């Protein structure tokens, strides 16, 4: 799926955590990478929800700005701001 940033110039979350071995994306239930990357992201609020960029982008498109939140902790403020900065498109509707 198209992104606002290429993988080389994408901003990075300032979160110094890594996922536990076997961590799965709460959206697709498939394993995530073993570290943060362009394709693997973490919730900046709870730092426990790891998800794929494509999965969270799909959730953003379905939810829209007012209902987009972390799939685990349900944070909707810091989460939305950081996802926007990270290049996730969030429609207003």
């Amino acid at each position: 799926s198209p992104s606002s940033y290429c993988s080389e110039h994408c901003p990075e979350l300032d979160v110094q955590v890594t996922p536990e071995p076997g961590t799965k994306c709460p959206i697709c239930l498939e394993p995530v990478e073993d570290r943060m990357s362009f394709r693997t992201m973490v919730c900046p609020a709870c730092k426990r929800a790891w998800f794929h960029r494509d999965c969270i982008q799909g959730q953003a498109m379905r939810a829209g700005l007012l209902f987009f939140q972390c799939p685990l902790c349900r944070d909707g403020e810091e989460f939305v701001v950081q996802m926007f900065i990270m290049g996730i498109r969030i429609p207003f509707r």
Side-chain angles (χ1 to χ4, degrees), residues 6-89:
C6 72
S7 54
E8 193 174 331
H9 295 99
C10 184
E12 294 183 8
L13 285 169
D14 187 23
V15 178
Q16 304 304 318
V17 291
T18 54
E20 294 290 318
T23 297
K24 292 186 166 116
C25 172
I27 300 166
C28 72
L29 304 179
E30 293 292 321
V32 296
E33 293 178 65
D34 61 358
R35 60 181 174 78
M36 194 150 24
S37 70
F38 180 71
R39 292 192 339 239
T40 297
M41 304 169 78
V42 67
C43 171
C46 70
K47 299 173 182 60
R48 291 188 338 250
W50 289 85
F51 34 79
H52 302 110
R53 173 178 289 274
D54 289 347
C55 293
I56 207 66
Q57 179 61 75
Q59 183 173 321
M61 296 307 282
R62 287 186 294 275
L65 184 63
L66 299 178
F67 299 101
F68 186 45
Q69 58 189 4
C70 171
L72 195 62
C73 74
R74 306 287 182 217
D75 180 85
E77 294 182 24
E78 182 181 1
F79 180 77
V80 169
V81 169
Q82 290 299 318
M83 292 299 107
F84 181 77
I85 291 169
M86 295 298 294
I88 298 297
R89 289 168 297 139

